[in-house]
Amino acid sequence: MSKVRTRYAPSPTGKMHVGNLRSALYEFLIAKHAGGEFMLRIEDTDQERFVEGATEIIYRTMEQAGLVHDEGPDRDGGFGPYVQSERMKTGIYMKYAEELVKKGEAYYCFCEKERLESLKTEIVEGKEIMMYDKHCLSLSEEEVKANLEAGKPFVIRQNIPMEGTTTFHDELYGDITVENAELDDMILIKSDGYPTYNFANVVDDHTMNITHVVRGNEYLSSAPKYQRLYDAFGWESPVYIHLPLITDENHKKLSKRSGHASFEDLLGQGFVTEAVVNFIALLGWSPEENREIFSLEELVQEFDYHRISKSPAVFDMVKLKWMNGEYLKAMDFHRFYEMAEPYLKEAVHKEYDLKKIAAMVKTRIEVFPDIKEHVDFFDGVPEYEISMYAHKKMKTTPESSLEVLRELLPVFEKQEDYSNDALYETLCGYVKEKGCKNGYAMWPVRTAVSGKQMTPGGATELMEVLGREESVARIQAAIAKLEKEL
């Protein structure tokens, strides 16, 4: 086979859906794994669905995800233009449509809206589809010519025979054969002169030497029509790879309201790009080794499209959060702090060392918004029950905690060095003198300065950030609380 060439051909209709990003990622990986080329092509033939700014979203998303294209609208590789509306101006689609008309594989249709609405419909995959009755196929050459010269609006339809079958091959599903009678004469050129998505796809893939076509399995039902176009032109078919459906945790199709529908939504929820890309790579594909964390470079090395499953892939938000947490743990601290800082500033309003707080939470969070619940006590101790001072493992009670805090308060008031190490040494000295375990003293102090059962750092780490004045004030308040409630 010639050099592997894949393309990502999105329509600029809004944010990039997770399913579209997966298609782009797999196309990128297939090309790069084989040492081939990956192309970006913008399919803007559906002018009604065009969204202003959506093309910029496509570029931004692909750049953020690391899916660098070898050629596209901004990188001419000799197969341009790479935007379908610009390609249309060259007359390429009409030229090929007219070629099919001459071959008897397509025909002009002049039917008006009212007539089309009167035709019978069929239910195909849950959708009501109008089946055209080939009315205009019977028009003579003279009638067609007269209609065209009169400027009568028309579309060009594919001419699919009523008898026989059509077979195409998919790498995951094998050979699929359908009855031609089940296929509608789909429109190739619309009344506005634009090609339909289906027709432009086939023409562009062939003329741009695309070898592998990757798309969602919702296009399986259209694949026989594409195959007929390839056969009608006498062109070699590309390798078809139809990807499994992505569902939510309830095995329903992902919806825009579910929060995990688009790449931008996920980044907005505090996920990092590398984790999202890694996670999406595993939505339908499994590596040979039993591992889950892959860099993009490692995915290029490992990716074999024959290991893509036909079964629906479940978008498991719990797993994505776990994976994101692993990426945060491994992340360079400078980059982590840069990304965490806005969340820290939103949660902590007092003048504390945010870098120290960031270091505490780095290994404890899964997504950046988790930061708030971990650090909210720095602004002020929340209301809490004194039963929190009781800890079975530490052998503490509210009563023992009150005694410990009373004894430690004057020590902390005199302490000059409020670094974590110095404070820890002080507490260890107290523990040794008292003849108790570390937790017996650490638990009451941490509870007093935080008012929480779970904190991102230990007692002395928290006190270092809070400083002497605030730490002493919180311990005094804790003593007063315990004295009042015991």
Side-chain angles (χ1 to χ4, degrees):
M1 182 184 264
S2 54
K3 178 182 263 196
V4 170
R5 281 173 60 84
T6 64
R7 62 19 176 210
Y8 177 50
S11 299
T13 56
K15 293 178 181 179
M16 195 182 289
H17 191 278
V18 162
N20 292 336
L21 181 57
R22 182 183 64 173
S23 295
L25 174 61
Y26 284 11
E27 286 155 348
F28 173 83
L29 295 175
I30 288 168
K32 295 302 156 188
H33 181 76
E37 293 161 348
F38 173 60
M39 175 199 295
L40 173 64
R41 187 173 76 218
I42 304 296
E43 305 204 335
D44 60 346
T45 55
D46 193 342
Q47 294 292 291
E48 287 180 11
R49 293 178 64 227
F50 178 80
V51 173
E52 199 66 45
T55 303
E56 288 70 31
I57 290 174
I58 292 166
Y59 279 111
R60 187 168 64 243
T61 299
M62 290 183 68
E63 185 182 350
Q64 287 175 311
L67 308 184
V68 181
H69 50 280
D70 299 295
E71 53 187 277
D74 56 338
R75 292 174 193 167
D76 191 357
F79 289 90
Y82 295 87
V83 179
Q84 280 186 341
S85 57
E86 292 174 21
R87 290 175 73 74
M88 192 191 115
K89 290 170 189 170
T90 68
I92 186 171
Y93 305 118
M94 187 60 81
K95 178 189 118 180
Y96 281 111
E98 286 172 346
E99 186 181 318
L100 290 177
V101 171
K102 284 175 189 165
K103 289 183 171 184
E105 297 285 350
Y107 57 94
Y108 291 96
C109 173
F110 301 94
C111 289
E112 293 175 347
K113 189 180 176 184
E114 292 72 26
R115 183 178 186 281
L116 294 174
E117 287 175 349
S118 71
L119 295 175
K120 68 175 184 176
T121 58
E122 289 187 13
I123 303 298
V124 179
E125 295 181 354
K127 291 182 183 176
E128 197 174 41
I129 306 291
M130 185 274 292
M131 298 293 283
Y132 185 65
D133 60 359
K134 292 183 179 287
H135 173 76
C136 288
L137 181 61
S138 60
L139 295 177
S140 66
E141 277 187 42
E142 291 73 22
E143 286 174 300
V144 170
K145 190 179 177 186
N147 284 339
L148 292 174
E149 286 174 353
K152 194 169 182 182
F154 68 88
V155 299
I156 296 180
R157 289 183 181 274
Q158 186 176 13
N159 183 18
I160 295 177
M162 297 298 291
E163 303 79 35
T165 60
T166 298
T167 300
F168 71 97
H169 180 79
D170 178 84
E171 290 295 297
L172 307 183
Y173 293 87
D175 287 339
I176 295 179
T177 300
V178 296
E179 297 289 329
N180 290 335
E182 295 174 13
L183 304 176
D184 181 41
D185 285 2
M186 71 173 176
I187 294 172
L188 308 180
I189 301 290
K190 296 181 284 186
S191 57
D192 60 5
Y194 272 79
T196 56
Y197 170 85
N198 294 321
F199 183 55
N201 241 287
V202 170
V203 171
D204 289 343
D205 286 343
H206 173 74
T207 55
M208 291 174 150
N209 290 357
I210 298 303
T211 60
H212 292 65
V213 171
V214 182
R215 55 188 170 222
N217 66 8
E218 65 268 26
Y219 289 100
L220 268 174
S221 58
S222 301
K225 300 176 190 177
Y226 302 151
Q227 186 60 49
R228 291 203 66 84
L229 290 173
Y230 278 102
D231 293 344
F233 284 119
W235 295 340
E236 183 183 348
S237 305
V239 174
Y240 292 117
I241 303 165
H242 287 86
L243 305 177
L245 180 70
I246 302 174
T247 72
D248 63 16
E249 295 88 342
N250 300 314
H251 303 286
K252 291 181 180 172
K253 193 175 178 182
L254 288 188
S255 82
K256 290 180 180 176
R257 292 185 299 278
S258 64
H260 35 30
S262 88
F263 179 71
E264 285 196 335
D265 289 340
L266 293 170
L267 296 192
Q269 289 169 46
F271 291 98
V272 294
T273 303
E274 300 93 324
V276 174
V277 171
N278 186 163
F279 177 76
I280 288 175
L282 299 174
L283 288 177
W285 172 78
S286 57
E288 279 192 51
E289 297 174 50
N290 186 23
R291 60 180 281 209
E292 295 186 298
I293 305 295
F294 290 90
S295 67
L296 188 59
E297 293 74 23
E298 289 169 331
L299 285 170
V300 168
Q301 293 290 320
E302 297 285 333
F303 198 83
D304 175 359
Y305 64 78
H306 295 100
R307 295 186 64 82
I308 297 172
S309 169
K310 289 185 287 189
S311 304
V314 178
F315 193 110
D316 184 346
M317 191 60 92
V318 171
K319 183 176 177 179
L320 174 56
K321 284 185 175 179
W322 165 80
M323 187 174 280
N324 201 71
E326 294 301 300
Y327 272 89
L328 295 184
K329 285 174 193 168
M331 190 181 282
D332 167 76
F333 181 75
H334 177 73
R335 184 182 169 216
F336 175 82
Y337 180 69
E338 209 173 67
M339 297 180 78
E341 189 179 19
Y343 296 92
L344 287 164
K345 284 182 173 175
E346 199 179 305
V348 180
H349 302 98
K350 292 187 176 178
E351 293 294 317
Y352 293 131
D353 188 333
L354 295 183
K355 284 193 175 176
K356 286 181 180 175
I357 298 175
M360 288 183 204
V361 300
K362 187 171 184 287
T363 58
R364 290 172 167 86
I365 62 169
E366 292 186 320
V367 287
F368 287 109
D370 289 350
I371 286 173
K372 188 174 183 180
E373 65 184 83
H374 282 281
V375 304
D376 54 1
F377 65 89
F378 280 107
D379 267 4
V381 177
E383 283 297 318
Y384 65 95
E385 301 291 325
I386 64 167
S387 58
M388 204 188 291
Y389 283 99
H391 195 294
K392 201 172 179 182
K393 192 179 174 187
M394 309 291 186
K395 296 191 166 68
T396 63
T397 63
E399 290 79 7
S400 71
S401 297
L402 176 57
E403 182 190 352
V404 167
L405 293 175
R406 277 174 175 163
E407 290 172 354
L408 281 171
L409 178 60
V411 179
F412 288 139
E413 285 175 326
K414 289 177 192 164
Q415 179 105 7
E416 291 290 335
D417 185 349
Y418 254 69
S419 68
N420 175 40
D421 290 347
L423 288 163
Y424 188 75
E425 204 175 301
T426 298
L427 269 175
C428 287
Y430 171 81
V431 165
K432 192 175 180 184
E433 189 184 312
K434 191 93 171 167
C436 60
K437 290 190 174 179
N438 280 6
Y440 189 80
M442 300 281 188
W443 183 261
V445 173
R446 195 185 71 161
T447 304
V449 298
S450 70
K452 299 190 84 166
Q453 280 191 303
M454 302 286 286
T455 60
T460 54
E461 287 178 277
L462 303 183
M463 290 173 72
E464 178 184 40
V465 172
L466 292 167
R468 182 168 62 179
E469 189 181 331
E470 182 65 20
S471 297
V472 167
R474 291 187 180 199
I475 290 169
Q476 287 172 335
I479 290 169
K481 182 181 179 72
L482 284 163
E483 287 175 340
K484 182 183 175 187
E485 297 186 35
L486 281 174

